[in-house]
Amino acid sequence: MKRRLLSTLAVAPLLLGSLAACGGSDSGSAAAEGPIRIMSIGSFETPVFSTPQVETALRAKIADINANGGIDGREVVLKVCNDKFDPNEATSCAQRAVSDGMVAVVGGASPFSPQFLPVLEAAKIPLVAGSASSGAVELQSEVSFPVNAGAPGMSIGTGRLAAEAGPSTVVIASDNEGSQTGADLSIQGAESAGAKMTKITMKLGAPDVSATVARALQMKPDAIALQIVTEDALKVVKSLRQSGYKGALTAPGSLFPPASIEALGEFAEGVRMTSRVVPPTSTDIPQVKEFLDQMAAEDPEAQTDDLALNAWTGMYLLAEVLKGHEITDGASVISAFDAIEKPIELGTAPDYTGVPATPDSKSYPRVPRFATVGSAVKDGEIVRDGDFFNPLEL
């Protein structure tokens, strides 16, 4: 059965207690025996960008965890908070996480982490497996525990893939901050590989993309990279192909979920992508098969894509990290992450080894391994194309 999305206003308090103020041993003991309460902050339902599959993925994994005894016998309880694609709403979500005594925020896809992370930092509530949709800040914050290189890794990788097609490339970006950041990273990736990349900006949600497409085609590019939302990507790709463009198209994997590939039909063939996690078609990986089975049990109609698998992976990781630890608040979750002694096998992403002492990149210090994985559309399916690679390396 599908679950109704909860808006910021609809996220009600769970249990009225004093989790955040466990000063004495009695209150700490009580906190350690109740449910483990977490939140996910994201653009779950908005006019321009919606990710209901992220909630489904989290609920699917949590249902499996709880059915198997929870985490050390404790039930996991999830609340979702819809940021409505609004930075003020995102901040309100974080404030609600604090007031409701959440011990972690997990696996959302919000472009407004610069606005809400300071609230979590002040309360010492960790952000686990965020999508890094708003760029580097999620990969730098002292309370962030990313599973992978997130959106920055995908964007840089998208530029690298474009450069493989030739020296003249274009990136089409929406006029919002997140897309502009992604475009700049794509340019970084392309230029590091010796290609010139020109940025073209279009209005977010523009009903007519013909002028944008015409500008891109005037440059006779070898490749076009996309840094726009899925709804706009469908229009742009269709218009490009109908205009006769046969060159390379590259994009972050979250831009083209299976439903979009199906909608584009032959126009999607050959599109190359970079993703946070392996494609959900990688059913040779046990964790991917587990993800698909649990998603089908939770909601057979839910979209199984990069964002959903990233959220599911984050919940998988959190459960593994918390085992054997007394969890009373966000600080105790952070301590559990700091205590990791051996790699945790994820299957869907590189093994998680904790925050690195020597990061792959000083710009993204919280990422255990700065890597992305390629995929391509072949015969209407997204197929893995190679192993994880560091897009910062030549």
Side-chain angles (χ1 to χ4, degrees), residues 99-363:
S99 64
D100 287 358
M102 301 297 173
V103 302
V105 172
V106 185
S110 172
F112 303 114
S113 54
Q115 285 75 27
F116 73 71
L117 266 171
V119 177
L120 300 184
E121 290 169 351
K124 297 190 182 304
I125 296 176
L127 172 65
V128 180
S131 65
S133 296
S134 49
V137 64
E138 281 187 33
L139 309 182
Q140 298 168 341
S141 171
E142 62 184 12
V143 298
S144 181
F145 295 88
V147 171
N148 47 49
M154 293 193 298
S155 294
I156 297 170
T158 293
R160 290 290 299 272
L161 293 184
E164 291 179 8
S168 176
T169 63
V170 166
V171 59
I172 298 176
S174 301
D175 59 354
N176 63 305
E177 184 177 356
S179 293
Q180 290 292 309
T181 298
D184 292 341
L185 290 172
S186 290
I187 292 171
Q188 176 186 334
E191 292 183 346
S192 70
K196 174 179 172 56
M197 180 170 276
T198 302
K199 179 165 65 175
I200 294 176
T201 299
M202 63 173 281
K203 182 175 177 57
L204 179 69
D208 184 359
V209 300
S210 58
T212 297
V213 168
R215 284 182 61 198
L217 294 180
Q218 284 176 357
M219 299 180 184
K220 302 186 185 307
D222 298 305
I224 296 176
L226 302 178
Q227 287 289 342
I228 49 184
V229 298
T230 296
E231 291 79 1
D232 289 341
L234 291 172
K235 293 179 285 188
V236 169
V237 171
K238 186 175 181 180
S239 181
L240 282 168
R241 294 308 194 198
Q242 288 179 332
S243 299
Y245 177 71
K246 297 181 179 179
L249 285 171
T250 68
S254 55
L255 215 59
F256 291 106
S260 296
I261 300 299
E262 183 178 356
L264 283 170
E266 64 180 358
F267 295 135
E269 199 67 16
V271 171
R272 299 185 69 195
M273 293 168 278
T274 51
S275 301
R276 302 172 180 85
V277 288
V278 297
T281 51
S282 304
T283 52
D284 57 312
I285 299 173
Q287 289 88 343
V288 173
K289 182 66 166 58
E290 185 179 346
F291 160 74
L292 294 172
D293 289 345
Q294 291 173 10
M295 288 289 282
E298 183 69 18
D299 181 358
E301 298 179 8
Q303 188 164 270
T304 54
D305 63 1
D306 171 86
L307 285 172
L309 185 52
N310 182 73
W312 184 93
T313 300
M315 193 60 234
Y316 176 97
L317 172 65
L318 181 63
E320 291 297 309
V321 171
L322 298 191
K323 288 178 182 177
H325 293 275
E326 183 174 291
I327 302 302
T328 57
D329 55 12
S332 64
V333 174
I334 292 173
S335 294
F337 271 92
D338 290 342
I340 292 174
E341 295 182 347
K342 61 181 181 180
I344 297 173
E345 182 181 351
L346 300 177
T348 59
D351 292 353
Y352 186 82
T353 54
V355 177
T358 305
D360 289 341
S361 169
K362 292 181 179 179
S363 298

